[in-house]
Amino acid sequence: MPIIRQDDVIQSVADALQYISYYHSPDFIQAMAAAYEREESQAAKDAIKQILVNSRMCAEGHRPICQDTGIVTVFAKVGMNVRWDATMSLADMINEGVRRAYVHPDNTLRASIVTEPASSRRNTRDNTPAVIHMEIVPGDTLEIAVAAKGGGSENKSKLVMLNPSDSIIEWILQTVPTMGAGWCPPGMLGIGIGGTAEKAMVMAKESLFEPIDIHEVRARGPRNTLEEMRLEIMDRVNALGIGAQGLGGLTTVLDVKIKDYPTHAASLPVAIIPNCAATRHAHFVLDGSGPARLDPPDLDLWPKLTYQASAQSRRVNLDTLTREQVAAWQPGERLLLSGRMLTGRDAAHKRISQLIGAGQPLPEGLDFTNRVIYYVGPVDPVKGEAVGPAGPTTATRMDKFTELMLGKTGLIAMVGKAERGPEAIEAIRRHQAAYLMAVGGAAYLVSKAIRSSRVVAFGDLGMEAVYEFEVKDMPVTVAVDARGESVHQTGPAQWRRHIGKIPLTTGA
């Protein structure tokens, strides 16, 4: 009878997490390449191109696809007849594998996990612990599915307890637009139907481990009600015109996955969990013969694309930027940023707010006057890098600080991903500022524009510290201009009207 060794579990988990940090799965690459070829929206096509170019760069350079290297989620199926050569619990083995993966010196991954979430929110520094689901099944093997789920997409998860007579599809169509673009579409929707509240959520998460196969379902025709629902939801969600990065376009979702389970006669739990453009998961089985082996995908899978910013892009010198120049930017205009910018995320904004509220000065050397802030928490650099992958984080989380930052610090522009809410847009309009969007899911590509990095304030916050980056030709798009026009509102509206006039081909 096979014996599962402790070291094999640890090494396999660590190897799998390193693997998925820089390799997209072949089904995702092919689906994104097909979406790129179909796309008619130039803004969305440019975003998808950046994601694909970034993906190949990461596969070649073995660096993270996204700076948010995720919270680790594991589904483990343990054979009833498994024998162990181990002194640790299975959960401890998995967490040791996580620790080793995230502190690997050749490809350091960002530690994003904080303990005491309701109070201190102290970073665990090695991304442990994982969220682990275990099941005892017949057999004598250990099957593990491991994923790294980014916070931007996880934060858009939804759960509802519908009445049995309510329409699941109509609820989904009403809900997806409220999720905004912070989940970095195009990606997948995982849907769980039935069971109890927590069962629906677990099923939605587990469904995201399944391969992208909606094109096969469409080609052969649906075989059951759930496959009919998958096709209808995919077509109708794509008809919303949200598009890549929420800029408006033909493809919002690449696939829709559904798992269901019997439920109480009075209940209809429904959960949605989106997976972003940095979808990362791997599966392996241990049978006692040693650690798992994951073969790299063939580089010929990637379309042969290179990325260069549009020749029509406006070049911006951040070191001499003025409010008058910001006011001249147009919605949807592409900019190339060069010079020095500051960074900051949730924790830094909270500290700045507390200092200003208490009438205290900002830390020495931290001056936002006529500056641009980039919402980012970068990966640590390796092998001479100025900074590791450094893509944008979801800007809406900073909306509640926008009026303060624009009104009290002298800040004149912000860079992030996804849309801004009404409160932030009004503050931007009132202060004649601007919000610029970088592409989520292109973190390694973005990092190549960063020439130097230094910590300016709040160094104890780790990746959430305030850095100063010196950048050269960093590509961004004007998402909210000084008059308060948002391309995340105008773009999808335009493409919703356009899609209504053309045959639906998305997912074909």
Side-chain angles (χ1 to χ4, degrees):
M1 185 176 293
I3 298 175
I4 307 297
R5 290 183 289 274
Q6 176 174 295
D7 287 347
D8 291 346
V9 176
I10 293 170
Q11 191 61 50
S12 298
V13 170
D15 289 348
L17 288 168
Q18 278 284 309
Y19 180 96
I20 64 176
S21 77
Y22 46 74
Y23 287 138
H24 271 127
S25 58
D27 59 311
F28 178 84
I29 299 162
Q30 292 164 342
M32 282 292 281
Y36 175 77
E37 292 299 326
R38 283 194 304 268
E39 190 55 68
E40 298 175 16
S41 161
Q42 282 307 118
K45 197 175 185 76
D46 181 77
I48 296 172
K49 185 177 185 179
Q50 287 192 49
I51 292 167
L52 284 168
V53 171
N54 179 79
S55 176
R56 185 181 177 112
M57 287 173 61
C58 294
E60 293 174 330
H62 286 194
R63 292 296 274 142
I65 294 165
C66 180
Q67 80 289 338
D68 185 346
T69 51
I71 183 169
V72 177
T73 302
V74 175
F75 286 86
K77 295 183 178 180
V78 185
M80 295 171 68
N81 298 322
V82 162
R83 296 179 61 196
W84 296 95
D85 178 7
T87 57
M88 302 168 70
S89 70
L90 179 54
D92 286 345
M93 291 182 230
I94 291 169
N95 282 320
E96 175 59 19
V98 173
R99 188 193 68 77
R100 290 188 189 180
Y102 278 75
V103 300
H104 195 292
D106 294 333
N107 182 41
T108 305
L109 306 180
R110 195 183 82 181
S112 302
I113 304 308
V114 296
T115 189
E116 297 178 342
S119 53
S120 70
R121 297 185 67 84
R122 177 177 52 82
N123 197 299
T124 64
R125 301 292 181 179
D126 58 10
N127 224 59
T128 62
V131 175
I132 303 170
H133 305 274
M134 295 191 196
E135 182 181 358
I136 303 297
V137 298
D140 55 7
T141 61
L142 172 64
E143 180 180 345
I144 289 182
V146 58
K149 189 68 159 60
S153 59
E154 188 70 5
N155 289 348
K156 302 301 181 179
S157 303
K158 306 291 182 182
L159 171 70
V160 68
M161 303 300 288
L162 294 176
N163 292 319
S165 59
D166 292 339
S167 168
I168 295 170
I169 293 176
E170 292 306 318
W171 176 77
I172 290 170
L173 291 173
Q174 293 168 10
T175 300
V176 168
T178 70
M179 291 159 53
W183 60 281
C184 281
M188 296 166 61
L189 293 181
I191 299 171
I193 303 172
T196 53
E198 81 281 6
K199 178 66 174 178
M201 293 299 288
V202 171
M203 289 190 296
K205 178 63 65 65
E206 191 173 14
S207 75
L208 294 172
F209 286 79
E210 297 175 0
I212 296 172
D213 65 353
I214 195 77
H215 54 291
E216 297 172 10
V217 175
R218 192 183 300 280
R220 63 167 164 76
R223 293 174 176 165
N224 52 50
T225 301
L226 290 187
E227 289 190 345
E228 291 174 357
M229 288 181 67
R230 287 176 61 194
L231 290 169
E232 181 176 356
I233 291 168
M234 179 163 175
D235 285 345
R236 294 181 68 182
V237 167
N238 281 335
L240 294 172
I242 295 167
Q245 303 291 300
L247 295 170
L250 296 178
T251 303
T252 303
V253 290
L254 301 170
D255 201 345
V256 174
K257 298 297 185 183
I258 304 176
K259 294 179 77 72
D260 68 353
Y261 195 82
T263 192
H264 192 284
S267 302
L268 183 55
V270 182
I272 301 178
I273 301 180
N275 223 15
C276 65
T279 179
R280 295 166 294 211
H281 58 86
H283 313 242
F284 58 85
V285 177
L286 298 182
D287 59 7
S289 61
R293 175 177 174 177
L294 296 171
D295 295 322
D298 188 338
L299 287 177
D300 288 339
L301 284 170
W302 278 267
K304 292 176 173 56
L305 299 173
T306 57
Y307 184 78
Q308 289 183 323
S310 168
Q312 286 73 46
S313 298
R314 185 195 298 248
R315 294 186 178 276
V316 175
N317 185 340
L318 297 173
D319 297 329
T320 60
L321 189 61
T322 65
R323 290 187 178 275
E324 290 73 24
Q325 290 172 331
V326 170
W329 296 343
Q330 299 299 311
E333 185 177 10
R334 296 177 186 178
L335 311 179
L336 293 176
L337 307 181
S338 296
R340 293 170 297 161
M341 63 167 55
L342 296 168
T343 76
R345 286 170 43 104
D346 312 64
H349 278 78
K350 184 176 180 179
R351 284 201 184 173
I352 291 167
S353 174
Q354 290 170 338
L355 289 171
I356 293 174
Q360 297 177 9
L362 297 183
E364 185 177 353
L366 182 58
D367 184 359
F368 288 99
T369 305
N370 289 343
R371 302 293 297 273
V372 174
I373 192 170
Y374 182 25
Y375 302 146
V376 62
V379 175
D380 288 343
V382 299
K383 299 177 181 177
E385 294 174 335
V387 68
T393 197
T394 308
T396 45
R397 298 202 313 275
M398 268 54 74
D399 279 4
K400 64 182 179 180
F401 301 109
T402 303
E403 172 61 35
L404 174 79
M405 294 296 292
L406 295 179
K408 299 291 187 181
T409 71
L411 187 73
I412 57 175
M414 301 149 283
V415 182
K417 74 172 185 182
E419 73 286 347
R420 304 307 298 265
E423 177 186 9
I425 291 174
E426 175 55 26
I428 291 167
R429 185 199 64 78
R430 184 164 50 249
H431 293 284
Q432 296 287 282
Y435 166 60
L436 313 175
M437 192 208 79
V439 172
Y444 195 38
L445 178 63
V446 171
S447 73
K448 295 305 181 183
I450 301 171
R451 303 305 170 85
S452 67
S453 170
R454 69 182 182 92
V455 174
V456 175
F458 314 136
D460 62 296
L461 295 178
M463 63 93 175
E464 294 212 67
V466 174
Y467 296 80
E468 183 180 73
F469 288 167
E470 183 174 358
V471 301
K472 176 67 174 177
D473 291 342
M474 176 178 169
V476 296
T477 299
V478 180
V480 181
D481 73 348
R483 291 157 292 283
E485 182 176 329
S486 169
V487 298
H488 286 101
Q489 296 173 356
T490 58
Q494 174 189 345
W495 281 90
R496 193 178 307 117
R497 291 190 297 269
H498 179 62
I499 290 170
K501 299 176 183 176
I502 61 175
L504 281 178
T505 58
T506 49

